[in-house]
Amino acid sequence: MLKPSLPTTIDSRQAADQGRILGGDIMLLKLERLSGYLVDSDGAVNVSMTFGVDEERIRYVKGCANATVRMLCQRCLEPVTLELEAEINLGIVADDEAAKQLPRHYDPYIVNEPRQDLYQLVEEELVLTLPLIAQHQDCVVKTEYGEAAEPSGDNDRKNPFNVLAQFKANKH
Ligand SMILES: [Zn+2]
């Protein structure tokens, strides 16, 4: 791996005060919760983040996380490749009360410990972008009309698709 890896934890408030800019890759293997939704955990998440303080004196973290992942297509049950892209736009606050005061363009990032888990932050943002139901864009269930309807040279075998083939033949 030539690319630098991100720190696993960070003091977000300090990072904001320092205007830190971070970038790097997180191996999908390290993100167990996200990987739980995927066919495999090959590959990495590319992350870029900017910490800072805005003109209203609100500490923020902005950036994006991208990953190419494979989920199971719920139609054909084959892997489908998806490009995940999470936009990170968080206002750093100490508690729920402060979260309510945030301008609407920020999502609250409640920080009440000295250091925060950066991997967990990225993971949560990516999990939010997962589709409810993964599907190929042009998913064709092959056994329905395609492969199974081809003459196989084994026509004597009981084949539930013969009924379908006859049905199709009768229509013409
Ligand atoms: Zn499919």
Side-chain angles (χ1 to χ4, degrees), residues 101-138:
Q101 310 295 323
L102 273 179
R104 293 179 63 96
H105 57 91
Y106 287 124
D107 288 325
Y109 182 34
I110 296 174
V111 164
N112 47 23
E113 282 172 39
R115 297 188 74 80
Q116 291 75 51
D117 186 330
L118 206 55
Y119 281 23
Q120 195 186 352
L121 168 65
V122 169
E123 182 167 48
E124 280 174 14
E125 294 287 323
L126 280 171
V127 166
L128 288 174
T129 70
L130 291 173
L132 237 46
I133 296 171
Q135 259 191 17
H136 293 105
Q137 263 186 338
D138 304 306

Side-chain angles (χ1 to χ4, degrees), residues 47-62:
V47 183
S48 60
M49 278 183 183
T50 304
F51 290 80
V53 183
D54 73 10
E55 56 274 13
E56 293 177 70
R57 316 276 321 141
I58 297 167
R59 293 186 179 101
Y60 65 80
V61 51
K62 294 178 183 181

Side-chain angles (χ1 to χ4, degrees), residues 19-59:
R20 284 186 72 179
I21 296 171
L22 298 175
D25 288 349
I26 302 174
M27 303 307 292
L28 278 172
L29 268 176
K30 305 263 187 190
L31 306 180
E32 280 182 23
R33 190 166 149 245
L34 176 63
S35 292
Y37 293 96
L38 309 178
V39 175
D40 58 63
S41 39
D42 296 341
V45 183
N46 185 254
V47 183
S48 60
M49 278 183 183
T50 304
F51 290 80
V53 183
D54 73 10
E55 56 274 13
E56 293 177 70
R57 316 276 321 141
I58 297 167
R59 293 186 179 101

